[in-house]
Amino acid sequence: MKKGAIKKTAWGLLIAVIFSVLVSFMLILGLFRGSELKSLDFRFRWRGPQDVSHSDLIIVAIDQQTFTACRDRYHYPREYYATLIDNLNEVGIRRIMFDIQFTEPDMKNPLGDSILADAVRRNENIILAGKIDRVQTPAGIYAYPNEPIPVLLETGREWGVVGELQDPDGFLRRYSIFESYQNNKFIYTIGSKVLFAEKGVPGNAQYSFNNGYFTFKDSTGEEVIRLLGHRSSLGFEQTFLINYYGPAGTIPTYSMSSVLDDADFDLRDEEDTDYMELFKKNSVYPYELRLALLSDSTLQMDAFTALALGDTASVDAILDQLNPFKDKIALIGVSIEELHDNKLTPFYNYGGVRKQTPGVETHAHAIQTMLDGNFIKTLPFYQNIIIIFVIGILTSLIVSIVRPALGGLFSAVLAGAYVAGLIWIFIEKNTWIYMIPVVVIILVSYVSNVVYQFISEQKEKKKIRGMFQTYMSPKVLKYLEDHPDAFSLSGEKREATMFFSDVADFTTISESLSAEELSVVLNKYLSPMTDILMSYDGYVDKYEGDAIMCDFGVPMEDPDHAWKACFATLDQQAALVDIRKEIKKAHGVDIYVRMGVNSGIVSAGNMGSAQRFQYTVMGDAVNQASRFEGANKQYGSYMMIGEETYKRAKDKIEVRILDRLVVKGKLIPITVYELMAKKGELTNDQSLIQAYFTKGIELYWDTQWDEAIEQFQQSINVTGDDPPSKVFIRRCKIFKENPPGDDWQGEFIMTTK
């Protein structure tokens, strides 16, 4: 790739990162919330209504027919609801949930509350409704439960709150598992209470929360309910997204007037059909009349045949088969628009029909979501941000290397494919992934890259600030700007710490890769290593292929140069764990790096001529640091530091004595150490290895070969491998056969660099 193309691509990627950060920040601020919620609605409508034939839920609604048929005006007397409860139970209803609050006494009939309470007391399958009221006080908002009236509470029946959670656009998409009030108290919603009753969970059950799930146990202690909480940008809520099964009317609905309509309850003349007598076990009407009213002619004929044979059990079975209330869960609420309990849902404008969903039906969709465990999952917030960055960078990368027209086509196809993929994921996996921010980043990445390409063709880019900017941290660079005398050609004596690193078996690696691929591998390795060195105020003196030389304490004086060099070494080895995996996966080679660190007095300054020079360091301490890097080969280690570095940094690092080493070209042994960790960060295994090895090397220096071998073997046994211990075991065995001279003091003489 030509230099100009590389530059254009690099700028394109930078633009992508900048705008990805901006879009992510907008997402964090909630600027996409409204449009993203609309995209969720769009996914519901695209998916369309879902099959609810398996559902046991029905709705008994105060609807227009109820208003027309009933003799009393709304609000209805409490006797109506007592009759409703009794009639439903007589026809085999399994459970009744009220989305109607009886929190105030009946003003029409003083005896009405007692009549309703008696019906509730007679039937144990009732769930009543209340709410959490909130009032503004000087101390803030005060929340308290508004319970059903005392006479109903005394029946001992469960009750839950009916509060709703509307999004800023007025749509109802979430459902509360419970609502909180004073001092972390809470009350479960009526939907949760229905779920508890169905699963055998006590109404006052405590929940546990783990990995996004609210879990509940039944009376035996077995976990029987797991509710996936909704994960918003602020974390998990005590809510979940309602997985709506369709628009208004999806859940089978019956008029309350029809359920009231029996032989004892009189509707207006033209409405009074005694409908419920058809299904009552103790109906006042004979079988013949009830069978004559059946709409299914086949079952009607079967029933008459059974009746003729005197088989009333078969007749009852046929009537039960046609009974819409048998073993169902009835949700009682209002649906007529005049009562203002209809809600906006994702299916509000489905098929071009604008129709709100009765509030009681939204409870039904929420309850069915819980019963089916059919929860809508969301990604962790950071994963949505990662998607923004990946798509933004991909778009910029393509747009920056192709013509604008082709880039526009690619961006359009990418956006379309992304939207289609999210719809598929929502339909097939019940997962909501953000759509709008990613479409925005595709558009912005395309437009910004096209604009950049135009601008870059009209003018040249400015030259880089200076060559030193790539070799040292901003802090050091600022120092050099403020102290130009640091570049004296004559140089000066300084105390510094030098760092050398080299990739192990680099020749073998380079032979297995093409020149272009080798360059890519080196960049993947050198860039993060350089960043780490510079983050500790190191000056990258030079690169020699895969080797790095870095100086600490020059050109800016730094009393912490020794431990900073050690920390940089440890951080590089830690970073190499992930870098090694990435390079192995992409290029098939393993990158292991040996590092040497040494401190001492050096000559620092600009070395060269007046026309061409480079700031560097020279001296014996520099040479020893280089030797330490190479000496790692002898021990199977990767981080070796000298005695002077250890003395200056020992309060901040963990090491083990490695040897008394005489490097090539020297006569006096130097104690060298293996750098293991930052102070206090040794693992248990490292601590054991350190202890066993230290004891072993003391015995080795004392020529107690067998005892030393035992300690080194203990060091190996900690993790199954310890290369330095293996080296010393071999030495001990050699010395057992060929003991060193009387003047031997434990030194090891290196014959190679």
Side-chain angles (χ1 to χ4, degrees):
M1 185 181 291
K2 294 183 178 180
K3 184 177 180 181
I6 294 174
K7 185 177 181 181
K8 184 171 70 171
T9 301
W11 273 101
L13 294 178
L14 177 61
I15 290 171
V17 171
I18 292 172
F19 279 106
S20 294
V21 170
L22 178 61
V23 171
S24 299
F25 190 62
M26 293 170 65
L27 178 61
I28 292 170
L29 293 177
L31 300 182
F32 293 110
R33 184 180 181 186
S35 57
E36 188 58 37
L37 288 174
K38 293 303 181 186
S39 82
L40 177 63
D41 298 345
F42 169 73
R43 283 172 253 200
F44 271 110
R45 294 193 297 273
W46 187 282
R47 185 184 71 179
Q50 304 296 290
D51 180 27
V52 292
S53 60
H54 67 291
S55 175
D56 289 334
L57 300 178
I58 64 169
I59 293 171
V60 177
I62 300 175
D63 56 4
Q64 186 61 53
Q65 180 182 329
T66 305
F67 270 38
T68 301
C70 289
R71 296 180 179 276
D72 291 283
R73 295 174 61 87
Y74 191 81
H75 296 274
Y76 297 123
R78 298 287 159 85
E79 298 96 305
Y80 275 41
Y81 302 107
T83 300
L84 183 71
I85 291 171
D86 288 335
N87 280 359
L88 285 172
N89 277 284
E90 282 192 57
V91 297
I93 204 74
R94 185 163 85 231
R95 201 166 314 285
I96 298 173
M97 182 208 85
F98 277 97
D99 185 27
I100 298 171
Q101 300 170 49
F102 304 117
T103 55
E104 301 292 336
D106 187 354
M107 305 307 295
K108 293 186 176 182
N109 181 1
L111 298 178
D113 292 332
S114 296
I115 294 172
L116 175 58
D118 289 340
V120 172
R121 192 175 289 108
R122 283 194 300 272
N123 301 281
E124 298 181 354
N125 58 351
I126 311 298
I127 295 174
L128 300 169
K131 61 180 178 179
I132 300 292
D133 280 342
R134 293 173 173 84
V135 296
Q136 184 69 48
T137 69
I141 295 177
Y142 176 73
Y144 62 94
N146 190 350
E147 304 172 330
I149 56 177
V151 69
L152 292 178
L153 283 180
E154 290 169 2
T155 65
R157 300 294 170 258
E158 294 290 343
W159 72 278
V161 293
V162 297
E164 62 183 43
L165 289 171
Q166 290 186 358
D167 288 317
D169 59 0
F171 278 64
L172 190 64
R173 300 181 181 90
R174 293 172 295 150
Y175 193 82
S176 291
I177 299 169
F178 57 83
E179 288 201 19
S180 302
Y181 63 106
Q182 320 158 9
N183 300 323
N184 296 321
K185 296 179 181 179
F186 64 89
I187 301 174
Y188 291 108
T189 56
I190 51 177
S192 296
K193 286 299 181 80
V194 171
L195 178 69
F196 291 173
E198 288 295 299
K199 299 294 185 179
V201 172
N204 60 348
Q206 294 296 310
Y207 66 85
S208 58
F209 182 79
N210 188 32
N211 293 328
Y213 282 90
F214 294 86
T215 58
F216 302 87
K217 297 179 180 179
D218 62 14
S219 57
T220 66
E222 181 182 356
E223 184 180 292
V224 293
I225 296 176
R226 297 180 78 236
L227 303 181
L228 177 62
H230 172 54
R231 175 166 36 200
S232 68
S233 60
L234 300 179
F236 285 101
E237 303 173 351
Q238 72 271 23
T239 69
F240 60 88
L241 288 168
I242 303 173
N243 197 344
Y244 283 98
Y245 289 77
T250 298
I251 306 298
T253 301
Y254 302 88
S255 173
M256 189 174 89
S257 62
S258 297
V259 181
L260 292 171
D261 189 13
D262 63 7
D264 296 323
F265 192 96
D266 293 329
L267 298 175
R268 296 184 188 278
D269 292 339
E270 64 276 14
E271 303 288 345
D272 193 25
T273 63
D274 296 345
Y275 170 71
M276 293 299 283
E277 295 295 336
L278 182 63
F279 307 112
K280 285 187 176 182
K281 293 295 184 185
N282 299 314
S283 175
V284 298
Y285 293 135
Y287 280 119
E288 290 80 1
L289 179 57
R290 295 162 66 190
L291 297 181
L293 297 175
L294 295 180
S295 58
D296 189 314
S297 58
T298 301
L299 290 177
Q300 185 183 53
M301 183 62 67
D302 291 342
F304 273 119
T305 301
L307 184 61
L309 296 173
D311 185 3
T312 57
S314 295
V315 175
D316 287 335
I318 292 172
L319 289 171
D320 283 344
Q321 187 177 346
L322 296 173
N323 181 353
F325 308 104
K326 179 69 174 177
D327 204 32
K328 298 293 184 181
I329 303 169
L331 312 182
I332 317 299
V334 300
S335 66
I336 191 167
E337 292 187 4
E338 289 89 328
L339 298 183
H340 306 293
D341 193 34
N342 288 354
K343 313 298 179 183
L344 294 167
T345 74
F347 283 97
Y348 167 64
N349 189 17
Y350 180 68
V353 178
R354 298 174 182 269
K355 186 176 181 181
Q356 295 185 359
T357 300
V360 63
E361 190 170 356
T362 65
H363 287 290
H365 287 281
I367 293 168
Q368 197 63 54
T369 299
M370 291 189 284
L371 289 171
D372 290 343
N374 193 26
F375 297 104
I376 297 173
K377 299 177 284 293
T378 56
L379 295 185
F381 199 65
Y382 76 90
Q383 290 185 11
N384 283 290
I385 292 179
I386 289 174
I387 292 172
I388 291 172
F389 273 83
V390 171
I391 297 295
I393 290 172
L394 175 62
T395 304
S396 290
L397 181 63
I398 299 300
V399 173
S400 65
I401 61 179
V402 300
R403 294 183 179 276
L406 189 57
L409 177 61
F410 169 81
S411 299
V413 171
L414 178 61
Y418 182 75
V419 170
L422 294 197
I423 293 173
W424 182 87
I425 290 172
F426 180 76
I427 294 173
E428 298 296 328
K429 304 296 182 182
N430 269 348
T431 302
W432 173 23
I433 301 175
Y434 286 176
M435 178 186 296
I436 304 303
V438 176
V439 172
V440 169
I441 194 62
I442 292 173
L443 176 63
V444 170
S445 295
Y446 168 72
V447 172
S448 59
N449 271 276
V450 170
V451 170
Y452 165 73
Q453 289 180 38
F454 174 78
I455 294 174
S456 65
E457 290 174 357
Q458 305 304 312
K459 58 185 295 186
E460 294 182 357
K461 305 300 286 182
K462 293 181 180 180
K463 292 183 178 180
I464 60 173
R465 181 178 169 190
M467 64 176 296
F468 277 114
Q469 188 171 1
T470 61
Y471 291 98
M472 60 185 65
S473 68
K475 177 180 177 182
V476 179
L477 188 59
K478 180 67 166 56
Y479 173 83
L480 295 182
E481 291 173 344
D482 295 339
H483 300 81
D485 55 339
F487 285 90
S488 170
L489 277 172
S490 60
E492 58 183 330
K493 293 292 184 182
R494 285 279 191 88
E495 181 179 286
T497 297
M498 280 61 62
F499 166 92
F500 283 82
S501 70
D502 199 7
V503 175
D505 299 319
F506 184 73
T507 301
T508 303
I509 292 172
S510 62
E511 290 173 351
S512 65
L513 301 174
S514 67
E516 184 177 3
E517 193 172 16
L518 181 61
S519 176
V520 172
V521 170
L522 280 175
N523 286 336
K524 288 182 178 180
Y525 157 65
L526 291 173
S527 294
M529 298 299 102
T530 301
D531 291 342
I532 292 171
L533 290 166
M534 290 170 60
S535 71
Y536 285 99
D537 301 330
Y539 165 63
V540 180
D541 197 315
K542 62 176 65 70
Y543 299 103
E544 290 183 2
D546 60 304
I548 303 174
M549 175 182 173
C550 185
D551 311 324
F552 294 82
V554 294
M556 181 183 73
E557 291 186 1
D558 187 353
D560 299 324
H561 57 83
W563 71 259
K564 284 184 177 180
C566 292
F567 276 28
T569 302
L570 290 165
D571 286 0
Q572 286 178 91
Q573 291 290 355
L576 276 168
V577 174
D578 290 330
I579 295 170
R580 186 179 302 119
K581 292 178 182 176
E582 178 186 348
I583 292 176
K584 177 69 173 179
K585 181 177 180 181
H587 307 284
V589 295
D590 287 312
I591 296 292
Y592 289 88
V593 182
R594 291 186 286 263
M595 301 176 181
V597 178
N598 191 46
S599 303
I601 302 298
V602 298
S603 177
N606 284 320
M607 307 298 175
S609 67
Q611 290 76 30
R612 186 177 180 87
F613 53 81
Q614 178 184 354
Y615 189 92
T616 188
V617 294
M618 299 178 66
D620 192 57
V622 180
N623 297 332
Q624 285 189 349
S626 177
R627 297 288 192 272
F628 292 162
E629 176 274 316
N632 280 293
K633 298 179 187 177
Q634 301 290 334
Y635 303 92
S637 58
Y638 291 96
M639 295 180 287
M640 184 181 294
I641 68 172
E643 190 170 8
E644 293 302 319
T645 301
Y646 173 69
K647 289 178 180 177
R648 291 166 173 80
K650 62 183 178 180
D651 291 337
K652 290 182 175 291
I653 58 174
E654 301 280 4
V655 301
R656 62 169 161 176
I657 295 176
L658 205 54
D659 208 349
R660 292 170 179 165
L661 189 66
V662 180
V663 298
K664 186 176 181 181
K666 298 293 179 180
L667 299 176
I668 301 174
I670 303 168
T671 302
V672 293
Y673 303 80
E674 183 186 18
L675 185 59
M676 300 181 75
K678 297 174 183 178
K679 198 70 175 180
E681 294 184 8
L682 276 181
T683 65
N684 290 335
D685 286 349
Q686 286 178 314
S687 295
L688 290 172
I689 290 172
Q690 182 191 57
Y692 287 131
F693 188 90
T694 301
K695 181 63 176 177
I697 204 167
E698 289 172 354
L699 293 168
Y700 165 83
W701 286 335
D702 201 33
T703 69
Q704 298 182 47
W705 314 121
D706 290 328
E707 293 82 354
I709 289 172
E710 181 179 345
Q711 292 299 315
F712 291 135
Q713 188 60 53
Q714 290 281 6
S715 180
I716 293 171
N717 291 342
V718 173
T719 62
D721 188 33
D722 183 44
S725 294
K726 291 180 179 179
V727 169
F728 277 92
I729 288 175
R730 288 196 297 270
R731 288 191 195 172
C732 288
K733 290 179 179 179
I734 292 171
F735 282 141
K736 283 180 65 176
E737 300 296 327
N738 300 284
D742 293 338
D743 58 345
W744 182 74
Q745 297 182 8
E747 70 273 12
F748 175 73
I749 301 174
M750 285 186 59
T751 58
T752 60
K753 293 184 179 180

